[in-house]
């Protein structure tokens, strides 16, 4: 290890300062060559101009450096100046060749390269060659037919007629927006249309049709379609709104409306709580391509426990319950609104038909109908098909609706909070015509319901109860098997 003292160039062994050694005696001398020169020895001409500035040695080194620079300038060769010549502008063939090899923008007339002239290898053709097959996808328009569609796509009139006849034979309905894939073959010349080689379309989710040409004729085939017809079971709780919860569970809008219509006669919507559960099964058809088609509502359930409502769609007189059907509860009894008449609202009878003491007037008089207690806003249904004779305020009945059903039969619905039909309108059995209220001379929310025959009021309760039907005999085992199958479906499957 060494420590150099820049102010003392005396050797470590010969005085103070200099390079001092720790633990060694043979320390190399670090002084400059001029300082090491012995007396009488000529000094070196190579002088470090960064040390001993202003000394005689420094001035001698500077003079030597300037002398060398001057000699270099005097002895440098004298070279002539180089001239920058400008080439002559190109013209004629040379200009065209240069232009073909350069990149010129389209705005300045660039042609993208020079084209070769034809040689003896180039053989002229009579016409531009066409592709052997051309495929395209066309769409059926409003009021369109398959024949007109193919004519627009370029098919011959004969091919268009043949293809339209083959597809029509299947009974398929071509709805607007249907996409049709067509493939045309090669033609003999430019003056004939291309022959229709193939055609593919899917008029229904479960039906695929394909036309192919063989031996100069078109043949129709039905490619197999992988279909899953398993129904879908969905459920949840009512939350802040029953309809919104059903839609949020993935139920289509039409099925959600059918569900509410099915349970409405037995479920007072004004008493639905956020924890009430709903359960339903919908017909569903799916194909491998991912398309889905929804069908009918098969099962409607509401609530939990032994008193839960379970309604099943079933057709009396059939083994599988398909066809023109109605709603039956799990015990095989028809839903109330589906009988000959049935009850117009879900509730309990608070006052019967006949003479009674009027709670407001304070005396006895004839009660021409029955009162059914239910919360305000509960839907009221038409018990049978008919026509609205009147709808609006009617004295002590408050908001009142009167229907005519034909054959001299009529029905009335009073004390409604809101009317949902107007005079002259035709209504169907099970249609919502109003909502329970307490308008007119009423002590609480209820529905006043009356039936008339030939203008004479009759007790509606026996007529409503006569409309109830219960499955019996051989139909019950099949019905119970269907209920068990529906209840055995997994949710979300």
């Amino acid at each position: 290890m060494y420590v150099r003292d820049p102010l003392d160039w005396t050797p470590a062994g010969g005085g103070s300062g200099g390079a001092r050694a720790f633990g060694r005696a043979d320390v190399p001398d670090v002084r400059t060559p001029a300082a090491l020169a012995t007396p009488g020895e000529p000094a070196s001409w190579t002088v470090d101009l960064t040390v001993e500035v202003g000394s005689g040695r420094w001035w001698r080194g500077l003079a030597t450096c300037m002398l060398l620079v001057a000699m270099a300038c005097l002895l440098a060769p004298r070279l002539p100046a180089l001239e920058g010549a400008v080439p002559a502008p190109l013209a004629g063939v040379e200009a065209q060749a240069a232009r073909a090899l350069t990149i010129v923008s389209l705005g300045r007339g660039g042609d993208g390269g020079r084209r070769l002239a034809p040689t003896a290898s180039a053989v002229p053709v009579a016409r531009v060659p066409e592709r052997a097959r051309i495929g395209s996808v066309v769409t059926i328009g409003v009021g369109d037919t398959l024949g007109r569609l193919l004519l627009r796509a370029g098919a011959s009139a004969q091919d268009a007629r043949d293809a339209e006849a083959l597809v029509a034979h299947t009974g398929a309905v071509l709805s607007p927006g249907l996409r049709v894939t067509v493939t045309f073959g090669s033609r003999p010349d430019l003056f004939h249309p291309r022959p229709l080689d193939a055609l593919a379309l899917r008029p229904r989710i479960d039906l695929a049709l394909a036309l192919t040409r063989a031996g100069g004729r078109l043949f129709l085939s039905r490619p197999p379609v992988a279909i899953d017809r398993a129904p879908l079971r969905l459920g949840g709780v009512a939350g802040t709104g029953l309809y919104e919860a059903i839609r949020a569970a993935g139920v289509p809008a039409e099925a959600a409306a059918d569900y509410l219509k099915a349970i409405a006669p037995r479920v007072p919507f004004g008493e639905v709580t956020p924890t009430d559960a709903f359960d339903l099964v919908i017909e569903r058809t799916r194909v491998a391509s991912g398309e889905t088609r929804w069908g009918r509502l098969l099962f409607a359930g509401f609530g939990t426990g032994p008193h839960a409502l379970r309604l099943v769609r079933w057709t009396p007189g059939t083994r599988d319950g398909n066809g023109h059907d109605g709603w039956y509860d799990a015990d095989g009894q028809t839903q109330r609104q589906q009988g000959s008449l049935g009850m117009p609202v879900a509730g309990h009878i608070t006052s019967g038909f006949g003479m009674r003491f009027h709670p407001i007037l304070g005396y006895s008089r004839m009660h021409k109908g029955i009162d059914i207690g239910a919360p305000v806003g509960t839907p009221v249904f038409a018990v049978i098909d008919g026509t609205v004779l009147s709808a609006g305020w009617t004295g002590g009945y408050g908001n009142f609706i009167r229907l005519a059903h034909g054959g001299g039969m009529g029905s009335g619905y009073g004390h409604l909070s809101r009317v949902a039909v107007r005079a002259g309108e035709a209504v169907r059995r099970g249609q919502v015509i109003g909502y329970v209220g307490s308008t007119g001379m009423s002590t609480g929310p209820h529905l006043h319901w009356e039936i008339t025959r030939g203008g004479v009021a009759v007790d509606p309760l026996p007529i409503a109860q006569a409309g109830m039907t219960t499955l019996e005999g051989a139909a019950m085992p099949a019905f119970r098997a269907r209920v068990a199958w529906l209840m055995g479906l997994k949710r979300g499957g």
Side-chain angles (χ1 to χ4, degrees):
M1 180 175 182
Y2 309 96
V3 177
R4 176 179 295 176
D5 188 349
L7 303 178
D8 191 353
W9 296 94
T10 306
S16 61
R20 301 171 184 175
F22 296 85
R24 292 185 60 182
D26 52 343
V27 181
D29 204 323
V30 295
R31 291 179 296 171
T32 62
L36 293 175
T38 59
E41 181 180 354
S44 173
W45 289 96
T46 306
V47 179
D48 187 355
L49 297 178
T50 62
V51 298
E52 299 181 8
V53 179
S55 65
R57 294 180 64 255
W58 183 85
W59 285 108
R60 186 186 62 198
L62 179 61
T64 303
C65 179
M66 298 300 294
L67 179 61
L68 292 175
V69 172
M71 293 178 63
C73 293
L74 292 174
L75 298 178
R78 299 295 186 267
L79 299 177
L82 299 178
E83 297 181 0
V86 179
L90 299 177
V93 178
E94 292 79 6
Q96 295 180 4
R99 184 181 181 84
L101 298 176
T102 58
I103 299 176
V104 183
S105 65
L106 295 177
R108 295 181 176 271
D111 54 6
R114 186 176 181 181
R115 296 174 175 81
L116 296 176
T119 65
S121 301
V123 178
V125 295
R127 64 185 178 93
V128 178
E130 297 181 325
R131 288 185 294 173
R133 292 169 66 88
I134 295 179
S136 61
V137 178
V138 291
T139 305
I140 296 286
V142 177
D144 209 352
T145 64
L146 182 60
R148 289 199 296 266
L149 179 73
L150 293 177
L151 287 176
R152 290 198 307 269
S156 65
Q158 184 61 45
D159 285 348
R161 287 193 298 268
D162 293 344
E164 185 174 18
L166 289 172
V167 173
H169 185 68
T170 65
V173 178
L174 307 185
S175 57
L178 177 66
R179 298 168 66 88
V180 182
T181 303
V182 294
T183 304
F184 296 101
S186 59
R187 54 185 172 179
D189 52 61
L190 297 176
F191 304 99
H192 291 81
R194 287 177 174 268
L196 179 63
D197 279 0
L199 182 146
L201 68 160
R202 198 165 187 171
R204 296 199 311 267
I205 191 174
D206 56 349
L207 175 62
L209 301 177
L211 273 70
T212 55
R213 182 176 295 276
R217 296 180 54 191
L218 290 173
F219 294 90
L220 176 69
S221 61
R222 301 189 183 189
V225 179
I227 301 175
D228 177 18
R229 300 185 184 274
L232 177 65
R233 184 178 183 183
L234 297 171
V237 294
T240 57
L242 182 57
Y243 179 80
E244 291 78 6
I246 295 173
R247 294 286 285 128
V251 179
E254 185 176 354
D258 289 344
Y259 173 83
L260 295 179
K261 182 178 177 180
I263 68 171
R266 300 199 181 196
V267 176
F269 289 124
E271 300 177 3
V272 175
T273 64
T275 58
D276 287 336
F278 63 87
D279 189 12
L280 48 84
V281 178
I282 317 169
E283 289 180 334
R284 181 183 61 174
T285 303
R286 294 186 300 173
V287 295
S289 59
E291 298 168 283
T292 302
R293 184 182 65 187
W294 300 100
R296 303 173 304 167
L297 181 68
L298 301 179
F299 173 81
F302 184 82
T304 57
H307 300 292
L309 176 65
R310 295 186 299 173
L311 301 176
V312 178
R313 189 183 293 272
W314 184 261
T315 301
T318 61
R319 297 181 58 184
D320 55 0
N322 293 322
H324 183 69
D325 42 31
W327 289 103
Y328 286 75
D329 61 22
D331 297 326
Q333 191 178 50
T334 58
Q335 190 181 7
R336 291 186 182 273
Q337 76 183 63
Q338 297 294 337
S340 299
L341 287 181
M343 300 293 283
V345 68
H348 56 282
I349 298 176
T350 59
S351 180
F353 177 83
M355 295 296 297
R356 69 162 187 174
F357 181 81
H358 198 281
I360 296 178
L361 298 179
Y363 59 85
S364 296
R365 72 171 188 173
M366 180 65 180
H367 188 220
K368 297 182 179 181
I370 62 175
D371 293 341
I372 306 173
V376 174
T378 303
V380 176
F381 300 90
V383 295
I384 195 170
D385 297 349
T387 304
V388 181
L389 293 179
S390 61
W393 192 269
T394 309
Y397 287 113
N399 289 324
F400 186 80
I401 298 174
R402 184 170 297 281
L403 304 180
H405 304 291
M409 178 179 288
S411 60
Y413 311 81
H415 306 302
L416 301 174
S417 62
R418 186 158 59 95
V419 174
V421 292
R422 60 181 182 273
E425 180 180 351
V427 297
R428 304 288 297 177
R429 180 179 58 185
Q431 178 180 338
V432 176
I433 58 175
Y435 299 89
V436 171
S438 185
T439 57
M441 290 193 300
S442 170
T443 58
H446 71 284
L447 172 70
H448 171 79
W449 179 43
E450 61 184 43
I451 298 291
T452 59
R453 282 183 173 174
V456 178
V458 296
D459 188 356
L461 187 58
I463 301 176
Q465 293 176 343
M468 303 297 292
T469 304
T470 303
L471 296 177
E472 298 177 351
M476 279 303 297
F479 176 78
R480 289 172 179 168
R482 186 173 182 84
V483 173
W485 173 68
L486 291 171
M487 297 300 297
L489 296 174
K490 295 182 178 180
R491 290 185 178 180

